[in-house]
Amino acid sequence: YHLVWVRDCVESGLALLAVGQIDDAQAMLTYLIATQNADGSWFQNFFPDGKPFWTGIQLDEVGFPIILAAKLAEAGQLSCTEEAGRMMRRSANFIVQNGPISPQDRWEEISGFSPFTLAVEIVALLVAAELFNGEERAYLLSLADYWNERIEDWTYVEGGELAEKYDAKGYYVRIGPTAADGGLRGRVNVANRLAESLPATAMLGMEFLYLARLGLRDPKDPRILDTLKVADALLKVETPHGVAYHRYNEDGYGEHPDGSAYDGTGIGRAWPLLTAERAHFDVMLGRDPVRYLEMMTRMTGSAGLIPEQVWDGPTLPDHRLSPGKPTGSVMPLVWAHAEFLKLVHARDVKRPLELLNAVEKHVQSRAARARTWHWRRDAPFDALPAGCDLLIDAAAPFLLHMGFDGWHNIEDRMSVPLPLGRHGLRFSAGELAGRGVLDFTLYFVDEKRWEGADHQLALPSKGHVDSPAAPRRSIKKAHARKTKAHVKDTV
């Protein structure tokens, strides 16, 4: 590409590290440090001098540089420790303020809960936490553990049409809509398909593999294996030169059936890059991935370069399209070359390069459940598990107007500062014992306004009660008049 993507940059840096080009890997990290925005993010892509081209935000691109720095440190090759530390702190802060919902997924098409992006965000926070002390470190670990525990709530569906069709109990979706968009009951827009949409549960991608690759899920987890069963049936393409995978079903980014070029619509073709991602999973299961490496070498162009996509239709001589060989897509795709090199390394050492020792140790040494659940307006939940503390977590100061079991015992509490500029109120599991439902709404002090929604949260002491996953949008007028008067006196 003539532009820089942070994701490709990190993947390339990791590949350089894998083949022993330490100086180049260090230079890649130094370049990323120099191009980071003041708020801790990076632009979606930019020219080599750092001038932005597309200015979207992809949270995996914010988390990936932390992983590169952490891997260099783990290998004893981090040459810019102080600068890298500042970069990692800024990146972690941006993820805390803006995660877990990414405005764009790794294919730059849609917002929501992506298993791939979630995995990168969580690992980035776990690694960056080591650079903080005291309450800030505890907060980062708490948030990462909580997000890790919610991955299935946001992205995994039990049963469903695809599970039944391919004899699986469930599967991870390509991307989960936000609560405001219906969660897993919502729909997902399909890019390059003229404003088409599908139920979230009808779209599957390869993103889930990174949950195991980064150490957040056991590769033998039945949910991972069931999803792989569906992905192999739905996305795998057998060509004369090897196996490749579609990005997701119903993808429209690729040539048309007649071989004419992608023109804003088309049919997504098979990606050798995803062959390498699939092969990394085999490494984690103790299998030799050499057959996948051989496939990737056969799906190259005449100069031995790996393309973005290979043709998966009938031979079309007039368009120079042959099954399993490059399409008119970009070639080389440097990300694919990086995956190839990392796969060679993973075959030698029997584990993915991105699997950090610190993450593996953390996940294995802690209880499976998070100790605190962080309730946020953009990612709410409707029931608190037993034994967990509740933290109402917001970006700005607020007053919590609350009651229990149908707005009884009403009271108001002011939020307190949390680490990293957040604001919140904590309720211990003991404090909530004996209650059935927490009713609450927020008043934003700086903006001097009510949020305009009531929330109900089922508490574990009296079992789960049905309540909406998204906030209710009505507040009784009498209740509103009463609370406004009270807030005026309190604030």
Side-chain angles (χ1 to χ4, degrees):
Y1 296 142
H2 68 291
L3 297 167
V4 176
W5 272 260
V6 170
R7 177 174 42 257
D8 298 52
C9 223
V10 170
E11 299 284 11
S12 300
L14 290 169
L16 291 167
L17 177 61
V19 299
Q21 293 185 209
I22 307 301
D23 290 346
D24 290 334
Q26 292 171 339
M28 194 73 79
L29 178 63
T30 302
Y31 173 79
L32 290 169
I33 292 171
T35 53
Q36 186 181 31
N37 296 324
D39 64 1
S41 70
W42 280 265
F43 292 116
Q44 180 178 350
N45 57 27
F46 40 89
F47 291 96
D49 64 359
K51 181 181 178 181
F53 185 68
W54 292 338
T55 57
I57 294 294
Q58 298 165 20
L59 288 179
D60 69 297
E61 291 198 309
V62 182
F64 257 135
I66 294 179
I67 294 176
L68 175 58
K71 188 62 188 183
L72 283 167
E74 184 177 280
Q77 301 293 343
L78 186 60
S79 60
C80 51
T81 305
E82 186 175 339
E83 295 84 353
R86 286 196 294 268
M87 176 274 289
M88 294 168 77
R89 290 185 181 91
R90 289 195 296 265
S91 299
N93 189 279
F94 189 89
I95 293 172
V96 164
Q97 304 303 334
N98 296 277
I101 302 166
S102 181
Q104 291 183 352
D105 68 334
R106 68 169 175 168
W107 304 123
E108 309 184 288
E109 293 179 347
I110 194 167
S111 66
F113 295 103
S114 163
F116 177 91
T117 304
L118 286 169
V120 174
E121 289 179 90
I122 291 164
V123 167
L125 293 187
L126 291 176
V127 170
E130 298 304 313
L131 301 173
F132 293 82
N133 297 313
E135 292 183 357
E136 290 183 328
R137 180 177 183 275
Y139 178 87
L140 284 171
L141 292 175
S142 174
L143 187 64
D145 286 342
Y146 165 67
W147 284 355
N148 188 26
E149 187 166 311
R150 295 297 308 283
I151 288 173
E152 281 69 33
D153 292 339
W154 294 326
T155 67
Y156 183 82
V157 58
E158 294 185 359
E161 181 179 347
L162 293 180
E164 294 174 5
K165 184 175 181 179
Y166 299 110
D167 191 28
K169 292 182 179 179
Y171 51 92
Y172 292 92
V173 299
R174 176 203 165 192
I175 198 159
T178 65
D181 291 327
L184 290 173
R185 296 184 296 273
R187 297 182 69 86
V188 173
N189 291 329
V190 184
N192 313 306
R193 287 283 188 176
L194 298 178
E196 290 184 22
S197 69
L198 288 173
T201 56
M203 190 179 293
L204 187 93
M206 302 293 282
E207 285 77 6
F208 71 98
L209 291 174
Y210 258 74
L211 297 175
R213 186 162 168 178
L214 292 180
L216 300 181
R217 296 293 180 272
D218 190 303
K220 295 181 180 180
D221 186 316
R223 296 167 298 194
I224 297 286
L225 295 176
D226 267 357
T227 310
L228 183 62
K229 183 188 298 184
V230 180
D232 275 342
L234 191 63
L235 305 177
K236 183 171 70 173
V237 176
E238 301 272 3
T239 80
H241 300 288
V243 169
Y245 287 79
H246 290 161
R247 297 190 302 174
Y248 52 87
N249 54 315
E250 304 301 327
D251 185 8
Y253 176 55
E255 281 87 350
H256 290 271
D258 64 0
S260 58
Y262 167 78
D263 56 4
T265 64
I267 296 177
R269 302 298 168 179
W271 291 55
L273 159 71
L274 299 177
T275 302
E277 289 194 1
R278 173 65 178 81
H280 271 90
F281 185 73
D282 263 23
V283 171
M284 300 194 73
L285 293 177
R287 300 168 183 163
D288 190 341
V290 67
R291 65 190 184 100
Y292 290 107
L293 287 166
E294 292 170 347
M295 291 176 193
M296 292 182 72
T297 64
R298 295 195 296 266
M299 289 188 282
T300 57
S302 58
L305 300 176
I306 303 174
E308 179 186 80
Q309 301 176 49
V310 295
W311 183 244
D312 54 8
T315 300
L316 298 175
D318 291 345
H319 291 278
R320 299 181 181 180
L321 292 172
S322 176
K325 299 303 284 185
T327 65
S329 61
V330 65
M331 185 173 67
L333 180 64
V334 178
W335 181 4
H337 280 259
E339 279 292 285
F340 181 91
L341 293 174
K342 287 188 293 175
L343 182 57
V344 172
H345 179 269
R347 181 177 183 241
D348 287 341
V349 301
K350 313 301 182 188
R351 63 185 277 135
L353 184 74
E354 297 90 342
L355 180 54
L356 298 168
N357 293 332
V359 173
E360 198 170 32
K361 181 180 178 181
H362 175 86
V363 172
Q364 292 176 355
S365 65
R366 294 176 67 88
R369 280 180 29 183
R371 298 174 183 177
T372 299
W373 274 40
H374 295 241
W375 189 96
R376 291 186 173 188
R377 294 178 66 229
D378 60 346
F381 50 89
D382 60 358
L384 181 70
C388 289
D389 289 355
L390 168 66
L391 182 63
I392 309 294
D393 190 337
F398 63 88
L399 181 139
L400 184 74
H401 182 70
M402 56 174 282
F404 291 100
D405 303 318
W407 289 105
H408 296 292
N409 306 113
I410 289 177
E411 63 174 297
D412 293 316
R413 298 187 187 184
M414 280 297 303
S415 64
V416 299
L418 297 175
L420 302 173
R422 303 290 295 182
H423 299 266
L425 280 171
R426 179 182 292 274
F427 297 84
S428 69
E431 184 179 359
L432 298 174
R435 308 286 192 175
V437 175
L438 173 65
D439 306 289
F440 64 97
T441 187
L442 305 181
Y443 177 81
F444 297 106
V445 177
D446 291 347
E447 300 176 31
K448 298 181 179 179
R449 68 172 181 87
W450 290 96
E451 63 169 321
D454 281 358
H455 310 282
Q456 288 182 317
L457 180 60
L459 303 175
S461 56
K462 294 185 179 181
H464 186 278
V465 297
D466 291 331
S467 57
R472 288 186 287 117
R473 296 297 173 184
S474 63
I475 299 178
K476 293 180 180 179
K477 293 182 179 180
H479 171 65
R481 286 195 298 269
K482 181 178 179 180
T483 54
K484 288 178 181 177
H486 188 88
V487 166
K488 181 177 180 181
D489 295 336
T490 305
V491 177

